[in-house]
Amino acid sequence: RQMCIREGGESVPLASAQPGDIICYPGHVALYIGGGQIIHAPYPGEVVKIASVNIMSITDVRRYW
């Protein structure tokens, strides 16, 4: 299941990701906070956590600002 809408924003390489970019995974999205880390809710009802950007395979990095 694709979670990122590709009609808006622009796709950027992970190496160029900046805080505020959206990291897209299969069935999941997260907010890039810099330093190779994201903030995300692992699953419904779980507290928001900071994790490595490489928690799973990345499908896209989107910049909407």
Side-chain angles (χ1 to χ4, degrees):
R1 185 172 89 183
Q2 182 64 38
M3 296 297 292
C4 285
I5 298 171
R6 296 190 178 197
E7 286 109 23
E10 68 176 295
S11 184
V12 296
L14 179 59
S16 298
Q18 296 180 16
D21 289 343
I22 303 297
I23 308 296
C24 305
Y25 304 96
H28 192 66
V29 296
L31 182 66
Y32 188 70
I33 60 172
Q37 295 191 313
I38 57 164
I39 187 166
H40 73 124
Y43 53 87
E46 178 63 88
V47 297
V48 172
K49 296 185 177 185
I50 294 174
S52 168
V53 72
N54 296 313
I55 58 169
M56 59 182 106
S57 179
I58 296 171
T59 59
D60 200 5
V61 179
R62 304 294 298 178
R63 183 166 298 149
Y64 291 95
W65 46 273

